[in-house]
C-alpha cells in the first residue's frame, strides 16, 4: 500500500513539474516578439563586424523581449537577395533600405510601412536631410543611420610632403602630379570600378554638380531644357576619361573588386583615394595613430569650365532600417524598437565611436577618434549635390556604368557615353515621366 | 472490369503522381515563362500584353548579341575542347599509355569536385590586378602598372574564362568515358591486336563505334550545361567589364532580378530553351549520321 501511495505521489509530482515547466516556457514565449531581418553588413570586414556586434549585443541585452533572426548581405548580393524576397513576397519584417531609387521598387510598392507616426516629435533630433520625404506623399520608409557623403578624396599628406606636392587646386594640377607619383611606384588615385556603382556614386555624381551647378542638375533630372547629352555632363565624363588616359587611377581599375583600393591607400601605395564617407569606419580601424594624423578628407579639385561649387561633394540622406507594412501592434512596435535603437541616440553613439557620422544630432564627444572628428567637420563644411543613382532609375545605371567602363578603356568618347545615357533616360527613366 | 480497363487504371495510378509532379515543377514554369514572355511585367502590376516586342528588343540588343556570341564560345569549347580532350585522356589512361594513370585520373577529375564559385575566386586571386600572377609579372617586367590586358579586350576577354571552363569540366567527361571504355570487352581489343591492328585502327574501328552513344549523351550535357553557364562567370567577372564577359544567363538574371523586367527576362529564358533544343537537335542529326556510318 505504501509503495502504491509513493508511486502515485511521484507521478503527481512529476506531472506537476512537467506542467509548471511548460507554463513557465509558455509565459516566456508569450512575452517574446520574434522578428526576421535582412541586414546590410560586410561581416568579412573586421571593423564593421566588430561595430555591428556591439550594436546587436547591446540591443538584445536591453530588449530581452525581442528576438530577431538576422540574415546578412552586402553589396550586389544584398540587393539580389532583397529583390528576390520582394518578388517572392517573402520580405522580412525589418530590412535595410535606401532613401532614393536604389531600393525604390521595394519602398514604393506599399509593402513598407511609413515610419512617420513613430517618428513624430523626434524629427528635430535628426539632420534635416535625413528626415526629408522618401515617398511621393512625404513618407519616410527608413530611418537614416547617417548622412552620407558619397565622394571623399582621402589624401595622404605625408606622402605628398615626401614627394614635394601640395593638394592640387585644379584637375590640370592633379594630372601634372601623376608622373611624379608614378615615378615612385605609387598610385596617384586609388579607386575600384568593377561593380556598377563606384565611379558613378563616388566621383561622377560630384563632378556632375561641379560641371553643371545645381540649377542645371535639377533641370536635367526632369528633362527641363537640359539633357545628359549637354556639354556639362560631357565635361564631367571627360574628367574621368582624362584621369584614365593619364594613368591616374589604380591599374586595372575596372577589374578591381570593391575594397582593394582601400588596401592600397592604407598600405601607403596611393597618394589619393576616392570613395564614400562611410570609409571613415575603416580608417578608424585600419590606420595607425600616426597615419590618422596625416590622412585628410578632401574633395576633387576644380575642373575645367566649372559652373558648380568649388570643393563640393555628392550627398544623400543615409540608408537605414524600415519595416514591412504587414506588421501591426506589438510586432510593429518591436520592429520600431530596433529601427529607433539603430539610428537613434544609443545606436548612433556606438556607431559614432567606430567612425560613423550619425544622422541623429549629438554632441561630438572629446574622446572620439580623430578620423571621425575629421569626417564630422568634412560633412558640416562641404557643400553637396545629388548622387545620380539616388535621383535616377537603377536600370539606367546598367547603361551608364558599362559605358563609363568602355570610355575608361578607350573604346568610347565622353560624348558617346553621355548620348547613350540620355537616350535611355529620355525613353525610360521615371523622373522624366 | 476488363483486363484492358484494369491496365488503364493501373497505368494511371502508377504514373499519375509522377506526371503531376513533373507537370507542376517542369511544364508549368515553362508554360508560365512562355506566356510571360509576351508581356511587360514588373512583378507588381498586372502584366501588359506586348506581343513579340520583348523578342524584338532582345534580338536587336547588342548586349544580348555579345552574350550570345560568348555563350556559343562556351558551347564550342565544351563540344570541341572538353569532349575530345576528355576522350583522349580517358583513352590514354584506359590503354595504359602512361604510367601513374590513377594519379592523373584523380588530378584531372579534381576541379569538378570544387564549387564553381570557389574556382572563380581561386582564379581571380591569380589573375586579378591584385592577384599573384599580376604581382609576379609586375616584378619580372619592372612595371608596377602591369595588368592582364586580355580582360579589357571585347574580343578576347572570354579566353581566360574558356580556359577555366576547359580545366574545370574536362575531368567529368574523362571519367564518363573511362567508365564506358571499361565496358568494352578486352577480348575484342586483344583480338584486334592479334590481327595486327595499329593503335589508330583500334581507336577508329573498335573503340569509337562503341562509344558513339555516350559521346552523343555527353555532347547533350555539354550543350545544356554551357547554355546555363552562370555561377562561374558571375562570380569571376560579373559579366564585366562593360558586358565583355556577359553570357545570356547573366543577361537574363540582371534584367529579371535587378531591373524587375519579368516579361523581358522570361523572353530571354525562352530564347535559351529554343537555342538549347536547336543545338541538341543539330547534334542528334550529326550523331545519327555517325551511327549510320559505323553501322555500314
Amino acid at each position: 500500500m505504501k509503495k502504491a501511495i509513493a508511486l502515485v505521489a511521484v507521478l503527481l509530482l512529476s506531472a506537476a513539474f512537467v506542467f509548471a515547466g511548460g507554463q513557465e516556457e509558455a509565459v516566456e514565449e508569450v512575452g517574446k516578439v520574434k522578428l526576421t531581418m535582412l541586414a546590410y553588413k560586410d561581416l568579412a570586414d573586421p571593423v564593421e563586424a566588430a561595430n555591428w556586434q556591439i550594436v546587436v549585443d547591446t540591443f538584445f541585452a536591453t530588449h530581452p523581449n525581442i528576438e530577431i533572426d538576422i540574415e546578412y548581405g552586402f553589396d550586389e548580393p544584398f540587393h539580389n537577395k532583397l529583390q528576390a524576397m520582394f518578388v517572392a513576397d517573402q520580405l522580412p519584417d525589418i530590412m535595410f533600405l535606401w532613401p532614393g531609387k536604389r531600393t525604390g521598387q521595394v519602398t514604393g510598392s506599399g509593402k513598407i510601412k511609413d515610419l512617420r507616426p513613430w517618428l513624430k516629435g523626434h524629427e528635430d533630433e535628426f539632420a534635416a536631410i535625413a528626415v526629408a520625404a522618401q515617398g511621393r506623399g512625404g513618407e519616410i520608409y527608413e530611418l537614416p543611420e547617417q548622412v552620407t557623403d558619397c565622394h571623399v578624396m582621402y589624401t595622404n599628406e605625408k606622402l605628398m610632403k615626401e614627394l614635394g606636392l601640395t593638394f592640387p587646386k585644379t584637375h590640370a594640377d592633379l594630372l601634372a602630379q601623376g608622373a611624379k607619383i608614378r615615378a615612385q611606384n605609387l598610385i596617384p588615385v586609388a579607386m575600384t570600378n568593377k561593380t556598377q556603382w563606384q565611379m558613378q556614386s563616388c566621383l561622377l555624381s560630384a563632378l556632375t554638380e561641379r560641371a553643371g551647378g545645381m540649377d542645371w542638375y535639377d533641370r536635367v533630372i526632369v528633362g527641363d531644357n537640359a539633357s545628359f547629352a549637354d556639354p556639362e555632363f560631357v565635361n564631367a565624363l571627360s574628367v574621368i576619361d582624362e584621369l584614365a588616359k593619364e594613368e591616374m587611377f589604380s591599374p586595372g581599375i575596372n577589374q578591381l573588386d570593391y575594397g582593394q583600393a582601400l588596401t592600397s591607400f592604407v598600405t601607403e601605395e596611393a597618394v589619393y583615394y576616392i570613395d564614400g564617407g562611410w570609409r571613415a569606419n575603416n580608417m578608424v580601424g585600419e590606420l595607425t595613430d600616426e597615419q590618422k594624423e596625416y590622412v585628410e578628407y578632401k574633395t576633387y579639385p576644380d575642373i575645367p569650365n566649372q559652373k558648380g561649387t568649388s570643393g563640393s561633394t555628392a550627398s544623400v540622406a543615409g540608408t537605414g532600417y524600415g519595416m514591412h507594412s504587414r506588421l501591426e501592434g506589438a510586432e510593429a512596435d518591436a520592429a520600431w524598437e530596433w529601427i529607433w535603437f539603430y539610428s537613434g541616440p544609443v545606436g548612433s553613439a556606438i556607431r559614432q565611436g567606430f567612425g560613423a557620422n550619425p544622422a541623429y544630432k549629438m554632441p561630438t564627444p572629446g574622446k572620439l577618434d580623430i578620423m571621425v572628428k575629421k569626417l564630422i567637420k568634412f560633412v558640416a563644411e562641404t557643400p553637396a549635390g545629388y548622387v545620380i543613382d539616388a535621383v535616377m532609375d537603377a536600370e539606367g545605371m546598367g547603361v551608364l556604368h558599362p559605358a563609363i567602363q568602355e570610355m575608361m578603356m578607350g573604346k568610347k568618347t565622353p560624348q558617346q557615353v553621355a548620348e547613350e545615357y540620355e537616350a535611355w533616360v529620355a525613353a525610360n527613366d521615371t523622373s522624366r515621366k | 472490369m476488363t483486363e484492358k480497363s484494369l491496365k488503364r487504371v493501373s497505368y494511371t495510378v502508377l504514373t499519375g503522381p509522377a506526371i503531376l509532379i513533373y507537370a507542376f515543377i517542369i511544364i508549368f514554369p515553362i508554360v508560365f515563362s512562355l506566356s510571360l514572355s509576351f508581356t511587360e511585367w514588373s512583378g507588381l502590376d498586372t502584366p501588359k500584353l506586348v506581343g513579340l516586342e520583348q523578342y524584338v528588343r532582345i534580338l536587336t540588343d547588342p548586349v544580348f548579341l555579345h552574350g550570345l556570341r560568348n555563350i556559343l564560345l562556351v558551347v564550342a569549347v565544351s563540344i570541341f575542347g572538353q569532349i575530345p580532350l576528355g576522350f583522349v585522356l580517358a583513352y590514354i589512361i584506359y590503354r595504359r599509355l602512361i604510367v601513374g594513370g590513377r594519379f592523373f585520373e584523380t588530378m584531372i577529375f579534381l576541379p569538378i569536385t570544387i564549387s564553381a564559385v570557389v574556382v572563380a575566386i581561386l582564379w581571380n586571386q591569380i589573375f586579378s590586378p591584385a592577384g599573384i600572377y599580376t604581382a609576379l609579372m609586375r616584378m619580372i617586367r619592372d612595371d608596377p602598372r602591369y595588368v592582364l590586358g586580355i580582360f579589357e579586350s571585347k574580343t578576347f576577354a572570354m579566353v581566360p574564362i574558356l580556359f577555366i571552363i576547359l580545366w574545370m569540366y574536362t575531368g567529368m567527361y574523362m571519367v564518363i568515358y573511362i567508365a564506358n571504355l571499361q565496358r568494352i570487352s578486352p577480348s575484342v581489343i586483344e583480338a584486334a591486336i592479334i590481327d595486327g591492328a595499329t593503335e589508330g585502327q583500334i581507336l577508329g574501328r573498335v573503340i569509337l563505334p562503341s562509344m558513339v552513344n555516350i559521346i552523343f549523351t555527353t555532347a547533350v550535357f555539354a550543350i545544356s550545361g554551357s547554355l546555363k553557364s552562370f555561377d562561374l562567370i558571375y562570380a569571376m567577372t560579373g559579366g564585366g567589364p562593360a558586358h565583355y564577359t556577359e553570357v545570356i544567363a547573366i543577361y537574363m538574371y540582371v534584367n529579371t532580378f535587378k531591373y524587375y523586367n519579368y516579361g523581358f527576362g522570361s523572353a530571354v529564358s525562352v530564347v535559351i530553351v529554343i537555342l538549347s533544343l536547336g543545338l541538341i537537335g543539330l547534334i542528334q542529326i550529326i550523331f545519327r549520321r555517325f551511327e549510320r556510318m559505323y553501322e555500314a
Side-chain angles (χ1 to χ4, degrees):
Chain A
M1 184 65 183
K2 271 184 187 171
K3 273 185 184 171
I5 291 169
L7 186 67
V8 170
V10 166
L11 284 172
L12 282 171
L13 274 173
S14 309
F17 278 128
V18 167
F19 284 114
Q23 269 176 344
E24 205 170 280
E25 207 175 279
V27 167
E28 217 178 84
E29 288 300 313
V30 165
K32 208 156 195 171
V33 179
K34 288 185 180 178
L35 298 169
T36 54
M37 176 162 82
L38 179 62
Y40 184 82
K41 204 52 64 184
D42 181 7
L43 294 178
D45 181 329
V47 180
E48 273 205 39
N51 177 1
W52 172 257
Q53 200 54 51
I54 294 173
V55 172
V56 169
D57 289 348
T58 312
F59 177 78
F60 287 132
T62 51
H63 298 77
N65 59 325
I66 300 172
E67 191 179 313
I68 304 177
D69 182 14
I70 309 171
E71 267 191 87
Y72 294 95
F74 184 68
D75 211 357
E76 284 305 319
F78 170 87
H79 292 281
N80 297 340
K81 195 170 198 171
L82 180 71
Q83 282 156 15
M85 285 172 147
F86 168 68
V87 171
D89 201 14
Q90 288 177 351
L91 283 175
D93 298 321
I94 305 169
M95 69 220 86
F96 197 79
L97 296 166
W98 270 247
K101 289 194 173 181
R102 190 72 178 91
T103 52
Q105 183 114 5
V106 178
T107 52
S109 67
K111 288 182 180 174
I112 306 298
K113 216 176 230 348
D114 181 6
L115 299 178
R116 283 179 298 176
W118 283 275
L119 188 62
K120 206 173 177 185
H122 294 290
E123 292 92 338
D124 292 343
E125 296 168 38
F126 287 82
I129 190 175
V131 285
Q134 295 165 7
R136 291 189 177 195
E139 297 88 347
I140 291 178
Y141 296 116
E142 53 91 6
L143 191 58
E145 54 179 334
Q146 59 190 11
V147 174
T148 307
D149 278 344
C150 292
H151 165 74
V152 179
M153 193 157 164
Y154 297 91
T155 306
N156 185 323
E157 297 209 323
K158 183 187 144 211
L159 280 180
M160 288 177 71
K161 203 172 165 187
E162 284 171 8
L163 294 168
L165 304 172
T166 52
F167 191 80
K169 285 193 172 65
T170 64
H171 168 66
D173 293 342
L174 176 66
L175 293 182
Q177 294 181 354
K180 204 168 189 178
I181 297 171
R182 284 192 302 273
Q184 298 301 312
N185 284 350
L186 295 171
I187 300 163
V189 183
M191 205 175 169
T192 57
N193 193 37
K194 187 175 176 180
T195 46
Q196 291 195 0
W197 61 272
Q198 292 140 46
M199 188 56 70
Q200 169 274 127
S201 258
C202 300
L203 185 55
L204 181 62
S205 293
L207 294 177
T208 304
E209 190 283 325
R210 294 289 184 84
M214 283 308 284
D215 173 57
W216 176 84
Y217 213 154
D218 280 327
R219 287 189 293 112
V220 79
I221 292 166
V222 292
D224 175 16
N225 289 317
S227 93
F228 282 104
D230 286 350
E232 286 84 350
F233 194 60
V234 176
N235 185 20
L237 287 165
S238 300
V239 170
I240 296 171
D241 186 38
E242 282 175 26
L243 286 168
K245 282 193 179 125
E246 297 289 328
E247 298 188 325
M248 297 297 285
F249 288 125
S250 304
I253 178 174
N254 292 307
Q255 302 168 46
L256 278 172
D257 284 308
Y258 188 58
Q260 286 172 332
L262 172 72
T263 309
S264 304
F265 187 71
V266 170
T267 53
E268 306 207 352
E269 289 162 27
V271 175
Y272 306 105
Y273 162 51
I274 294 177
D275 207 322
W278 54 85
R279 279 303 192 193
N281 280 284
N282 302 82
M283 297 291 168
V284 169
E286 295 185 23
L287 293 179
T288 63
D289 288 344
E290 192 200 346
Q291 283 179 310
K292 286 175 185 175
E293 294 294 331
Y294 55 74
V295 167
E296 297 296 335
Y297 297 69
K298 308 267 187 184
T299 57
Y300 199 81
D302 286 351
I303 64 170
N305 305 315
Q306 184 168 298
K307 292 179 185 168
T309 317
S310 276
S312 67
T313 180
S315 182
V316 66
T319 44
Y321 287 91
M323 70 168 103
H324 200 293
S325 57
R326 67 172 171 251
L327 299 187
E328 294 296 341
E331 284 187 332
D333 289 339
W336 171 253
E337 284 289 333
W338 164 260
I339 294 165
W340 177 253
F341 177 86
Y342 187 78
S343 297
V346 184
S348 295
I350 299 170
R351 291 183 294 105
Q352 192 184 51
F354 279 88
N357 180 32
Y360 190 83
K361 289 179 195 163
M362 50 203 313
T364 310
K367 274 187 175 175
L368 217 53
D369 190 280
I370 186 172
M371 295 313 290
V372 184
K373 283 183 184 166
K374 285 179 186 177
L375 177 69
I376 292 169
K377 190 166 178 284
F378 176 86
V379 173
E381 293 175 355
T382 312
Y386 305 118
V387 179
I388 297 174
D389 69 359
V391 289
M392 308 305 292
D393 285 354
E395 191 176 347
M397 298 306 115
V399 175
L400 177 62
H401 198 269
I404 292 173
Q405 286 184 324
E406 287 208 278
M407 175 187 79
M408 292 174 73
M409 294 186 291
K411 315 273 168 54
K412 274 182 181 159
T413 64
Q415 185 71 43
Q416 281 175 307
V417 176
E419 282 169 8
E420 269 179 37
Y421 183 54
E422 174 57 27
W424 189 91
V425 169
N428 304 288
D429 201 286
T430 51
S431 303
R432 297 280 180 93
K433 287 177 180 169
Chain B
M1 198 179 274
T2 62
E3 195 181 335
K4 201 177 171 187
S5 55
L6 192 67
K7 264 187 181 173
R8 202 172 286 163
V9 171
S10 309
Y11 289 155
T12 311
V13 170
L14 289 169
T15 58
I19 289 171
L20 274 177
I21 292 168
Y22 182 77
F24 187 71
I25 60 173
I26 305 285
I27 307 290
F28 171 71
I30 291 174
V31 173
F32 185 64
S33 195
L34 183 68
S35 53
L36 265 188
S37 72
F38 300 112
T39 70
E40 197 178 290
W41 187 45
S42 70
L44 273 178
D45 45 4
T46 316
K48 195 177 111 195
L49 203 65
V50 291
L52 292 171
E53 197 183 292
Q54 307 288 24
Y55 291 95
V56 175
R57 243 181 88 194
I58 291 167
L59 297 172
T60 52
D61 184 354
V63 177
F64 171 80
L65 296 175
H66 191 73
L68 181 65
R69 171 249 190 206
N70 285 346
I71 205 66
L72 290 176
L73 285 174
V74 175
V75 172
V77 160
S78 303
I79 299 284
F80 304 112
Q82 289 164 6
I83 290 178
L85 196 59
F87 185 82
V88 169
L89 292 169
Y91 186 76
I92 290 170
I93 290 167
Y94 169 70
R95 294 282 296 131
R96 296 199 176 95
L97 299 179
I98 47 153
V99 284
R102 283 271 170 208
F103 170 76
F104 288 110
E105 192 181 336
T106 310
M107 284 298 108
I108 296 163
F109 184 69
L110 200 63
I112 193 70
T113 62
I114 308 169
S115 144
V117 176
V118 175
V119 167
I121 292 168
L122 283 175
W123 283 97
N124 245 354
Q125 296 289 337
I126 296 169
F127 290 124
S128 95
I132 300 162
Y133 170 81
T134 314
L136 200 67
M137 290 306 286
R138 281 177 185 173
M139 212 166 67
I140 293 167
R141 297 164 64 124
D142 192 24
D143 176 7
R145 295 193 65 83
Y146 172 83
V147 285
L148 197 58
I150 201 167
F151 282 108
E152 296 188 358
S153 156
K154 192 171 185 175
T155 313
F156 298 112
M158 277 300 285
V159 172
I161 293 170
L162 296 175
F163 168 74
I164 295 165
I165 288 172
L166 189 66
W167 170 83
M168 194 174 166
Y169 295 103
T170 299
M172 184 180 79
Y173 296 110
M174 180 194 73
V175 167
I176 294 172
Y177 293 139
I178 288 177
N180 280 275
L181 283 167
Q182 283 164 348
R183 290 172 58 195
I184 300 171
S185 170
S187 58
V188 178
I189 298 171
E190 279 162 21
I193 293 168
I194 291 164
D195 287 347
T198 62
E199 197 63 43
Q201 283 168 328
I202 293 170
L203 176 66
R205 303 271 171 87
V206 181
I207 306 276
L208 272 178
S210 48
M211 294 288 282
V212 169
N213 282 335
I214 192 63
I215 291 173
F216 168 69
T217 308
T218 50
V220 171
F221 284 161
I223 290 169
S224 56
S226 301
L227 289 171
K228 289 191 298 192
S229 287
F230 179 86
D231 45 6
L232 178 87
I233 302 171
Y234 193 74
M236 200 171 165
T237 65
H243 303 297
Y244 288 178
T245 58
E246 194 155 304
V247 288
I248 48 181
I250 295 179
Y251 180 78
M252 176 184 73
Y253 171 78
V254 168
N255 278 289
T256 312
F257 296 109
K258 208 165 173 181
Y259 306 141
Y260 303 105
N261 294 325
Y262 290 92
F264 188 77
S266 298
V268 180
S269 73
V270 171
V271 171
I272 293 175
V273 171
I274 292 169
L275 201 62
S276 195
L277 292 176
L279 284 172
I280 290 168
L282 187 70
I283 289 283
Q284 208 161 11
I285 293 167
I286 293 168
F287 275 89
R288 273 195 192 138
R289 285 197 177 170
F290 267 103
E291 261 182 340
R292 268 186 237 129
M293 192 176 86
Y294 282 121
E295 276 164 14

